[in-house]
Amino acid sequence: MNDDTNRPARSTLSRRGALAVGAGLLPGLAGCLGGSSAAVSGGGTSDGSDGPVVVASFFSFYDFARTVARDTPVEVRNLVPTGLHGHGWEPNARITQEIIQADAFVHVGQDFQPWADRAIRTVEEDGVDTQLINVREGVELVDLAASLDRDEEGIGENRGKDPHFWLDPNRAKQSVDNIADGLIDLAPAHEDRFRENAAAYKSDVLDRIDADYRAIFDAADRRIVQLAAHNAFQYLGVRYDVEMRPLVVNLAASGDIKPGDITEAKRVIDENGIRYIGAAVFETRRPARQLLRETAVEAYFPVTPYAGVREDWVEQGWGYEEIAYNVNMPTFEVCLGNRSPEEAGPDGWAAEWRNFE
């Protein structure tokens, strides 16, 4: 477990301190997932004590949990290996063992990650004392966008609702509170610290991200963004009054792209004079390259629904906040025409991310 007790809290983009993250692939996972690199992990303790262990099924909520747990004995681990999208991968049965051995399991609610649902059933049916922390509890979901495939699986009791609520930093606050409540149940002696960390993250990070996103979208003349990505960004559109046009109409990143989807994207690009589009970091870039060849689009730049991390992001300690500022926000500035690619991000951003592989 890494030591982050004495590290500064994350603040603005220019002053952000490094977060503690480590590498350690879960037993038996590499073969199942095609040799992908290690999952990130990090805890709130620095003294090597045997505190409670919390595992998370999704990167965003792992990041929230490790922030809430900072400066406590609670250790938080991310179950999704580095380089993989958190919605659409299927680990082997060994992952359930990791969950039932943990003190708590942070998950995204039912009918979103089938493997997590199976693990939850095991916990409940076998009387395992792993505490279940549902980050979606109490979150108001919006209706599916008209472009979404309503016949697809994966939304169960919330059929007809879009599950990607954490893209909206305001809705994400409820998840932070849910995690804090769960950690308090797990380690009540540290309630004050959990509450303080949660409150600070909501006000210092999520409120700032919300304000900066709003400034970007309010400054734009165009109200439409074309994405060569799956349908995960509607909550940004709802929150900031902009139309997010996905190329993949499925909720999961593994959805197929139909000829009609490409045709519709070409129409949107042509009618709106779009020069730049967003392409998903953890999805195939083939459709983005096709749009480069067949439309007036000049380049694509990265977007991600915070569902996974790359090796270099792990090395730099990036979480939800850093990804927002270093990946999504610059791309939306470019796609909306607010800034040129060279102006939008940190030094070297355009060269690194233009038509990335």
Side-chain angles (χ1 to χ4, degrees):
M1 182 168 56
N2 292 331
D3 182 347
D4 72 345
T5 301
N6 297 316
R7 294 181 187 269
R10 293 179 292 176
S11 184
T12 62
L13 185 63
S14 60
R15 295 185 288 110
R16 184 174 298 113
L19 293 173
V21 283
L25 191 62
L26 297 175
L29 214 54
C32 170
L33 295 169
S36 61
S37 53
V40 292
S41 64
T45 182
S46 64
D47 58 7
S49 61
D50 295 326
V53 173
V54 177
V55 294
S57 73
F58 204 76
F59 174 76
S60 299
F61 307 112
Y62 152 74
D63 187 46
F64 294 171
R66 67 175 174 175
T67 302
V68 174
R70 182 177 287 118
D71 299 331
T72 76
V74 175
E75 178 183 357
V76 182
R77 301 173 184 169
N78 180 25
L79 295 178
V80 181
T82 303
L84 293 182
H85 198 289
H87 186 188
W89 66 283
E90 280 290 331
N92 63 19
R94 292 289 296 276
I95 200 74
T96 300
Q97 189 67 24
E98 295 286 330
I99 293 169
I100 65 177
Q101 289 177 346
D103 296 285
F105 178 40
V106 175
H107 62 95
V108 194
Q110 292 183 339
D111 305 304
F112 184 72
Q113 295 172 297
W115 65 269
D117 290 347
R118 292 193 295 271
I120 290 170
R121 284 196 297 271
T122 297
V123 168
E124 293 176 336
E125 293 173 1
D126 294 354
V128 178
D129 62 359
T130 300
Q131 180 181 335
L132 300 175
I133 302 175
N134 181 355
V135 300
R136 197 170 65 193
E137 188 72 31
V139 176
E140 182 180 356
L141 302 180
V142 303
D143 292 337
L144 294 177
S147 58
L148 275 168
D149 180 359
R150 280 166 165 74
D151 294 327
E152 71 171 3
E153 76 289 346
I155 47 180
E157 65 183 16
N158 289 301
R159 177 164 291 278
K161 300 293 183 180
D162 188 334
H164 299 92
F165 66 89
W166 62 90
L167 271 291
D168 177 352
N170 191 56
R171 282 181 168 86
K173 290 181 184 180
Q174 181 62 53
S175 290
V176 174
D177 286 337
N178 291 340
I179 290 169
D181 289 342
L183 295 184
I184 289 167
D185 288 342
L186 182 67
H190 302 280
E191 177 175 0
D192 289 346
R193 174 57 63 191
F194 295 142
R195 293 291 185 209
E196 290 169 5
N197 288 344
Y201 189 76
K202 289 188 296 180
S203 62
D204 298 345
V205 176
L206 293 179
D207 280 348
R208 176 165 45 81
I209 290 174
D210 184 31
D212 290 343
Y213 265 135
R214 186 166 298 282
I216 289 170
F217 291 115
D218 284 353
D221 292 330
R222 185 190 302 123
R223 309 308 301 169
I224 189 168
V225 175
Q226 179 64 53
L227 302 174
H230 81 289
N231 212 327
F233 295 85
Q234 182 188 193
Y235 281 88
L236 287 177
V238 171
R239 179 71 176 165
Y240 307 112
D241 190 28
V242 64
E243 183 179 358
M244 295 287 175
R245 298 287 306 185
L247 191 57
V248 181
V249 298
N250 299 77
L251 287 172
S254 57
D256 293 330
I257 298 169
K258 305 174 181 64
D261 301 332
I262 292 288
T263 299
E264 177 62 12
K266 290 179 179 179
R267 182 193 66 79
V268 171
I269 289 166
D270 181 60
E271 291 183 0
N272 292 277
I274 291 175
R275 298 169 57 200
Y276 303 108
I277 61 174
V281 175
F282 300 104
E283 301 171 38
T284 177
R285 256 76 74 192
R286 287 193 300 272
R289 291 193 288 267
Q290 180 176 349
L291 292 178
L292 284 184
R293 294 192 304 269
E294 300 178 6
T295 71
V297 167
E298 298 177 15
Y300 60 81
F301 290 94
V303 291
T304 174
Y306 312 97
V309 284
R310 303 196 325 174
E311 285 282 4
D312 54 327
W313 299 358
V314 174
E315 292 169 1
Q316 297 175 77
W318 282 14
Y320 183 99
E321 176 188 11
E322 289 81 7
I323 294 169
Y325 281 99
N326 288 288
V327 180
N328 286 340
M329 286 190 193
T331 292
F332 290 132
E333 291 261 44
V334 169
C335 290
L336 289 166
N338 293 2
R339 297 175 185 271
S340 71
E342 291 69 30
E343 298 170 330
D347 290 343
W349 181 85
E352 176 185 3
W353 286 109
R354 179 187 292 268
N355 300 337
F356 63 99
E357 293 300 323

